[in-house]
Amino acid sequence: LTWEWANGLRGYSYPLIFASIYKALQLLGKDDVQLLIWVPRLAQAVLAAFADVKLYFLVQHLENTETAKCVYFCQLCSWFTWYCCTRTLTNTMETLLTIFALSYYPIKGSKMGSSCKYLALVALAIVIRPTALIPWIPLVFSHFLQEQRKSDLVLYNYIPVGLVTVGTSLIIDRVFFGEWVLVQLNFLKFNVLQNLGTFYGSHPWHWYFTQGLPVILGTHLPFFVHGCVLAPKKYHIFLMAVIWTVLAYSMLSHKEFRFIYPVLPFCMVFCGCSLKHLKAWKKSAASFLLLSNLFPALYTGLIHQRGSLDVMSHIQQLCNNSYQSHPFVFIMMPCHSTPLYSHVHCPLKMRFLQCPPDLTGNVSYADEADVFYSNPLGWLNKEFYNDTLLPSHLIFFSVLEQEISPFLALRGYEKTGSIFHTHVPQGRVGSYIYIYRKKVK
C-alpha cells in the first residue's frame, strides 16, 4: 500500500467495488489476469454509457428531443470524455455520479426532481472523492433557497442522507483500517488546509482558465461560449457551477486536467444548446466537432503514453518463466508510472521508486525518486552494492539509458525489450521504455 493509505487519505469504499468484482471472478474460477484488467474497465464503460443516456433523457425532459440529441452528440464527441470515461479514476466515478445526481436535481421545469435521490448520489460522490462537493455547493445552495419547507429539507433529507452515507463510509474504513478514520477530513486537511498537494507540482492561479478548461473542451469551446449566451435562464445555475468549480480549484496550487472533468457534462448542455440553434450550419458544425475530436480521442486513447500498460504484458510473462527461479523486477521510472499487481496477478517480487510527501515539515526533504534522479548511477551502485541484491529485470525510460550504461555493463544486464511510450518525451519520461535482464551465469 502507498503512503496515502498509511495516512488515511484514501477510503476503501471505491476500491471495494473492484475488490468485489475480483472476488466474484475468483469464486467463479475466472480470475485470469486479462479479466482482472478488463472487467473493471468494462464496468466503468457501462456506467459511463448509462450516464450519457441519463444526460440525454434529462435534457429531453427539460427541453425537447432535438436539443437532447445535440447535447448527447456533443457529449459523445468529447475527446476528453473518451479519454477518461473508462479509466478507474475517482474523478471518473465523481463525474458519472454527478450526471446521475443531475437527472434528479429539482431544476425549474423538471418533474423528475427528487431531493433524496440527488442528495444521496452527491453524498456517495463525496464519499468516493471529497472534492465532488465543490461543483454541488452552488446547486445545493440554490435548491435550499428555492425550497419553501426548508426545515423539512434539512430534517428529512440532508441529515438522514448525510448520516447514512458518512456512517457507511466510516464503518467500511473501520473494518479495513482497523481503527476509526474520517478519510474525507484527512483529505481536506492535506489538500486544502496544508496544501501539501504542491509537492506533486504547482501551476499559476489562472491555469484552469487559460489551459485546463480550454484543453478539456477542445473544439467544443466556441460552442460552449455561444451556448452560454443562448441558454435559457434556468441553466444559469449550471454555468455558476462551472465557474465556481474552476475558481475553487484555481485557489489550489496543484492542478490537473482530470480535476475539472466533473464540470464537463454541465458544459455539454451549453454546447448542445449552441448546436441546436445553428440551424443551417448544424450539419457542418456537427461534422467539425466529430472530426476534430476523433483524432485526439484515438491518439490519447490508443497511442499516447501506452508503454506503461504495454510493459505489463512483458512482466506478466515472468510469472510462468523458468529462465530465472526468483524474478525480481525493479521499475526505475517516476513513481506510479505503471500499474502493479492488478496487471500481474502472481506473487512476483516488484519494486518501484517511492515518492511520499514530507508530512513532518522538513524543508530539505527529498523523496526516493528525486534522490535517484539526482544521481542515478551513484544511487544504483550504492543500493545494489552486492550482486545478491541485484534485480533480475530493470525497467526504465530511454532517457535514463546512457547515464546508467556503466552499471548495466558492469553488472551483466542485456536489453530484451523496447516499448513505445510517447511522441512527446518530457524530463524523466522518455519516448521508449526499455527492459533489461540480468544474464544468468
Side-chain angles (χ1 to χ4, degrees):
L1 293 177
T2 52
W3 67 272
E4 296 100 327
W5 298 93
N7 290 280
L9 254 74
R10 294 280 184 263
Y12 282 90
S13 303
Y14 185 49
L16 197 58
I17 297 169
F18 303 107
S20 302
I21 292 171
Y22 288 165
K23 191 64 182 176
L25 288 172
Q26 184 199 27
L27 293 173
L28 293 167
K30 300 289 184 185
D31 57 339
D32 175 73
V33 67
Q34 291 304 320
L35 286 177
L36 293 188
I37 294 169
W38 283 100
V39 171
R41 295 185 199 177
L42 290 170
Q44 200 80 54
V46 168
L47 279 173
F50 188 42
D52 290 344
V53 173
K54 273 283 190 184
L55 186 64
Y56 170 82
F57 283 122
L58 170 66
V59 181
Q60 185 188 44
H61 174 72
L62 293 173
E63 294 294 325
N64 50 58
T65 302
E66 188 185 357
T67 308
K69 283 180 179 177
C70 290
V71 172
Y72 189 57
F73 179 80
C74 289
Q75 172 75 353
L76 292 185
C77 277
S78 169
W79 78 270
F80 198 75
T81 298
W82 277 88
Y83 180 62
C84 288
C85 72
T86 60
R87 300 174 72 182
T88 52
L89 297 164
T90 50
N91 308 90
T92 302
M93 187 57 79
E94 178 188 358
T95 304
L96 301 184
L97 288 171
T98 293
I99 296 175
F100 293 141
L102 265 182
S103 64
Y104 297 110
Y105 181 73
I107 192 171
K108 190 177 179 183
S110 171
K111 293 175 183 174
M112 299 193 306
S114 168
S115 299
C116 188
K117 286 180 181 177
Y118 101 81
L119 287 168
L121 288 161
V122 171
L124 181 58
I126 293 167
V127 163
I128 289 171
R129 189 172 179 86
T131 51
L133 174 66
I134 295 172
W136 281 98
I137 287 174
L139 290 158
V140 172
F141 187 63
S142 173
H143 172 218
F144 181 77
L145 291 178
Q146 290 171 16
E147 187 65 42
Q148 291 180 334
R149 290 194 263 176
K150 291 179 172 56
S151 57
D152 285 359
L153 181 65
V154 173
L155 285 172
Y156 301 118
N157 290 288
Y158 288 177
I159 293 174
V161 166
L163 286 175
V164 170
T165 49
V166 175
T168 305
S169 170
L170 267 172
I171 292 166
I172 290 170
D173 289 331
R174 173 70 178 83
V175 170
F176 290 99
F177 278 116
E179 59 183 335
W180 294 107
V181 177
L182 187 55
V183 169
Q184 292 74 28
L185 182 62
N186 292 343
F187 187 94
L188 180 73
K189 280 182 184 174
F190 181 88
N191 289 292
V192 180
L193 302 180
Q194 296 172 303
N195 201 20
L196 290 172
T198 52
F199 182 77
Y200 297 106
S202 60
H203 297 81
W205 70 269
H206 56 77
W207 187 84
Y208 282 120
F209 290 99
T210 55
Q211 294 179 59
L213 194 61
V215 167
I216 71 165
L217 277 170
T219 52
H220 284 75
L221 184 59
F223 296 90
F224 170 64
V225 175
H226 183 227
C228 289
V229 177
L230 291 172
K233 191 177 178 181
K234 63 183 174 184
Y235 293 128
H236 287 181
I237 189 64
F238 288 177
L239 182 58
M240 180 67 72
V242 174
I243 296 169
W244 160 256
T245 302
V246 176
L247 277 172
Y249 275 115
S250 295
M251 297 300 106
L252 301 175
S253 299
H254 181 58
K255 299 174 174 67
E256 293 185 37
F257 293 110
R258 63 189 175 96
F259 291 171
I260 55 169
Y261 177 35
V263 303
L264 205 53
F266 293 98
C267 297
M268 290 306 144
V269 173
F270 295 101
C271 294
C273 288
S274 168
L275 192 62
K276 188 235 177 186
H277 279 86
L278 288 176
K279 307 292 183 188
W281 292 92
K282 190 188 291 182
K283 282 189 178 179
S284 300
S287 300
F288 167 72
L289 273 178
L290 179 62
L291 294 173
S292 60
N293 279 273
L294 189 61
F295 173 74
L298 291 173
Y299 181 75
T300 55
L302 300 174
I303 299 168
H304 181 58
Q305 292 184 348
R306 64 170 295 149
S308 54
L309 288 176
D310 289 346
V311 75
M312 298 312 292
S313 60
H314 291 261
I315 296 175
Q316 284 166 22
Q317 293 167 17
L318 299 177
C319 294
N320 308 311
N321 194 343
S322 59
Y323 179 79
Q324 265 129 348
S325 54
H326 299 289
F328 169 22
V329 178
F330 184 26
I331 301 168
M332 300 188 299
M333 295 155 74
C335 53
H336 312 304
S337 290
T338 64
L340 211 63
Y341 289 106
S342 64
H343 284 53
V344 176
H345 196 39
C346 78
L348 184 70
K349 186 180 180 184
M350 289 195 287
R351 176 184 172 184
F352 63 92
L353 295 169
Q354 301 280 348
C355 58
D358 174 48
L359 301 173
T360 63
N362 180 4
V363 290
S364 59
Y365 173 80
D367 63 53
E368 185 182 46
D370 284 337
V371 174
F372 169 80
Y373 279 105
S374 65
N375 181 12
L377 186 59
W379 189 93
L380 286 169
N381 286 325
K382 184 180 177 182
E383 188 76 10
F384 303 113
Y385 58 88
N386 190 315
D387 276 11
T388 58
L389 301 171
L390 288 170
S392 62
H393 292 76
L394 298 175
I395 295 172
F396 53 87
F397 282 119
S398 49
V399 289
L400 200 61
E401 186 182 43
Q402 191 173 355
E403 197 165 354
I404 64 169
S405 57
F407 175 85
L408 299 172
L410 181 66
R411 302 294 186 171
Y413 283 96
E414 60 180 348
K415 189 191 291 187
T416 58
S418 177
I419 300 157
F420 172 76
H421 184 64
T422 179
H423 289 112
V424 280
Q426 284 182 310
R428 298 173 180 179
V429 178
S431 298
Y432 287 84
I433 295 173
Y434 291 157
I435 301 172
Y436 271 78
R437 180 180 67 191
K438 187 162 174 34
K439 296 173 189 173
V440 176
K441 294 177 182 177

